[in-house]
Amino acid sequence: MTSRHRTSESLGSPAPRRRTVVKAAAATAVLAGPFTAAPPARAATGAPAFLHGVASGDPLPDGILLWTRVTPVSEAIPGSGLGPDTEVSWTVAADKAFTNVVAEGTATATAASDHTVKADIRGLRPATDYWFRFSAGGTESPVARTRTAPAHDAAVAGLRFGVVSCANWEAGHFAAYRHLAARGDLDAWLHLGDYIYEYASGEYATRGKVVRPHAPAHEILTLADYRTRHATYKTDPDLQALHHKAPVIAIWDDHEFADNAWAGGAVNHTEGAEGTWSARQSAAKQAYFEWMPVRPAIEGTTYRRLRFGKLADLSLLDLRSFRSQQAATGSGSVDDPDRTLTGRAQLAWLKAGLKASDTTWRLVGNSVMVSPFAVGSLPADLLGPLAKLLGLPREGLAVNTDQWDGYTDDRRELLAHLRSHAIRNTVFLTGDIHMAWANDVPVDAGTYPLSASAAAEFVVTSVTSDNLDDIVKAPEGTVSAVAAPVIRAANRHVHWVDTDRHGYGVLDITADRAQMDYYVLSDRTRANATSVWARSYRTRSGTQKVERTYDPV
């Protein structure tokens, strides 16, 4: 893809530069409006179409990354490698009617990039709403809203982010995205991993039932496979609606590759029979960066840092590319200092950034739970299903070695760094585990709460992927009523856990507190599912601890 563009705005001053339980053709719905899908459409020969919506991401004070995928001719389906080079124009305006155009340009969509297009726009004003669209061959894309970040040194009164993770197409509909889009008050939304799932059709469905089949039907292994799976997800009308309303800030977890991925392989990868891990990993990364409005960061990974004025910065972690293989459950190797979750370079980068930060809040986008977790004395009929949810043996489980519990030396080093340098107001934002949690992050869980908490952690549940009640096949809420008190008794730093429901979070930040409002869906299998507020927790500035609050923001 090649591109060129111009902008007519300038800044007043220079801007600083889950984890899972187990191991059809894509729809082509096009949004006619924020929440209304048009009838399925196909690109006629010679008539390009924007069947996968448009999106923006990674907001900066002076810029934003724009994305789309054009289908130039009917045979140029995602992953096919077919279709001609196509010139795509993009336009950015200060108003939805596009009477005040501030930037425009062109890019060439080619089969080599699966006809995806990215435009990294600069020269925009900070903390400002913009509208953008693409066009090709006389066809215009949907119009979408985006927003730039506040200026580097701006005094920001508040920020509001949607927070989601673990959206399995076959397990349900993405009503969580629709409800976030309907708010209209988000500065951005965070996707903390498992934006797609790699499984064959039916291998990881909802309570054993496929709600809607994905494409391809087989487990994805090749570049064409990963492209096709991403394309399937991008046809979802609720996902498109959210991409059309606010910029996304995304990191990957394992299912963008394969279940329980690590640097040299994955639980859901058989070397040889499924090709080499390096080839599969490379294909997954290429498709991800083609299909997601994410800037490749250090070493072509997703770890990077964004800043939102003086109020907050956000360190985004890649906890799959560099990690050592997961330790066997019960193995003393979880404490081996030669094993790493982050990789040495990324951990050093994180520590340095947290220490140097001069913002009120230090947010960490973190795909797997950092707080320690001991199972406790659960009834036998729940112990097995919980082990299944965590991907652990059914007996004798102590820790989930896929999360920070499996790499305790990295965690010990990071938390000691926060304490020794008196780094306050660190908040981990986490997905992966298909449950909602509000945790203090203790330096020593065994002596907590007599010992210190180094940070706070808010964990959001899954959008659709199975949680504990789904494994047990019990009515929603009944399992959590039994399991949550036992989990809390064994983990005194856990203020709240909901093992059963699906939904999303809304993080609201002011100078005084960071608050997570947790919302739950009525039924993940229904496209028209409703959403209700469930609980809220906050951490007040200077406390490094979580407390309940009784109203959403």
Side-chain angles (χ1 to χ4, degrees), residues 18-19 162-168 174 176-177 180 189-197 251 253 256 366-367 429-435 459-465 502-505:
R18 180 276 49 138
R19 160 121 192 173
V163 190
V164 292
S165 76
C166 304
N168 175 19
F174 295 160
Y177 296 151
L180 280 170
W189 55 287
L190 312 184
H191 202 294
L192 298 171
D194 298 343
Y195 185 99
I196 66 167
Y197 279 75
I251 54 175
D253 194 27
E256 285 86 352
N366 169 60
S367 59
L429 304 171
T430 306
D432 176 73
I433 200 170
H434 303 186
M435 310 179 210
V459 184
V460 293
T461 188
S462 60
V463 171
T464 59
S465 302
H502 304 277
Y504 57 93

Side-chain angles (χ1 to χ4, degrees), residues 60-377:
L60 302 173
D62 70 334
I64 196 75
L65 186 68
L66 307 183
W67 175 93
T68 194
R69 199 269 181 179
V70 64
T71 304
V73 292
S74 59
E75 62 266 26
I77 61 175
S80 67
L82 301 176
D85 292 0
T86 303
E87 185 173 90
V88 179
S89 300
W90 49 264
T91 307
V92 181
D95 64 314
K96 194 173 183 179
F98 286 80
T99 58
N100 183 11
V101 173
V102 300
E104 57 188 354
T106 61
T108 302
T110 70
S113 61
D114 208 24
H115 290 98
T116 60
V117 173
K118 287 183 178 181
D120 202 349
I121 314 302
R122 301 299 171 94
L124 303 179
R125 298 186 181 278
T128 301
D129 288 348
Y130 290 96
W131 286 261
F132 67 95
R133 66 188 174 200
F134 294 85
S135 63
T139 302
E140 289 190 344
S141 75
V143 172
R145 167 197 175 268
T146 191
R147 183 171 177 81
T148 52
H152 184 88
D153 293 324
V156 180
L159 293 165
R160 190 167 294 167
F161 301 119
V163 190
V164 292
S165 76
C166 304
N168 175 19
W169 176 280
E170 293 208 328
H173 294 275
F174 295 160
Y177 296 151
R178 172 169 53 87
H179 289 290
L180 280 170
R183 295 180 62 96
D185 63 351
L186 302 179
D187 292 288
W189 55 287
L190 312 184
H191 202 294
L192 298 171
D194 298 343
Y195 185 99
I196 66 167
Y197 279 75
E198 85 281 11
Y199 295 116
S201 186
E203 191 171 354
Y204 179 40
T206 173
R207 301 194 180 209
K209 176 184 177 182
V210 173
V211 175
R212 49 180 183 165
H214 58 214
H218 58 265
E219 182 176 323
I220 54 177
L221 299 171
T222 67
L223 177 58
D225 292 341
Y226 280 95
R227 285 169 164 174
T228 303
R229 189 64 58 83
H230 272 281
T232 301
Y233 278 65
K234 281 292 200 299
T235 62
D236 182 87
D238 297 328
L239 179 54
Q240 286 194 9
L242 184 50
H243 276 303
H244 293 180
K245 292 298 287 291
V248 67
I249 302 168
I251 54 175
W252 56 46
D253 194 27
D254 52 342
H255 292 289
E256 285 86 352
F257 302 93
D259 183 35
N260 277 17
W262 57 284
V267 168
N268 191 28
H269 179 77
T270 304
E271 196 79 10
E274 295 182 325
T276 66
W277 175 249
S278 60
R280 184 175 185 176
Q281 183 186 54
S282 177
K285 286 188 176 185
Q286 181 176 333
Y288 185 89
F289 284 120
E290 289 171 347
W291 280 85
M292 295 292 290
V294 170
R295 293 186 186 91
I298 302 161
E299 298 182 45
T301 76
T302 56
Y303 81 84
R304 62 204 188 278
R305 186 171 290 117
L306 299 173
R307 182 182 174 103
F308 298 86
K310 293 182 178 179
L311 186 57
D313 56 32
L314 172 60
S315 301
L316 298 150
L317 303 185
D318 177 352
L319 300 183
R320 294 296 165 182
S321 294
F322 311 106
R323 70 156 71 198
S324 307
Q325 186 171 12
Q326 292 87 348
T329 302
S331 167
S333 63
V334 298
D335 299 320
D336 186 345
D338 292 329
R339 297 179 65 261
T340 181
L341 176 65
T342 60
R344 298 308 306 170
Q346 184 177 196
L347 185 57
W349 167 87
L350 176 60
K351 288 165 58 182
L354 293 170
K355 182 181 177 182
S357 174
D358 61 351
T359 58
T360 302
W361 295 96
R362 279 147 290 279
L363 310 178
V364 182
N366 169 60
S367 59
V368 296
M369 197 160 77
V370 66
S371 301
F373 169 50
V375 172
S377 302

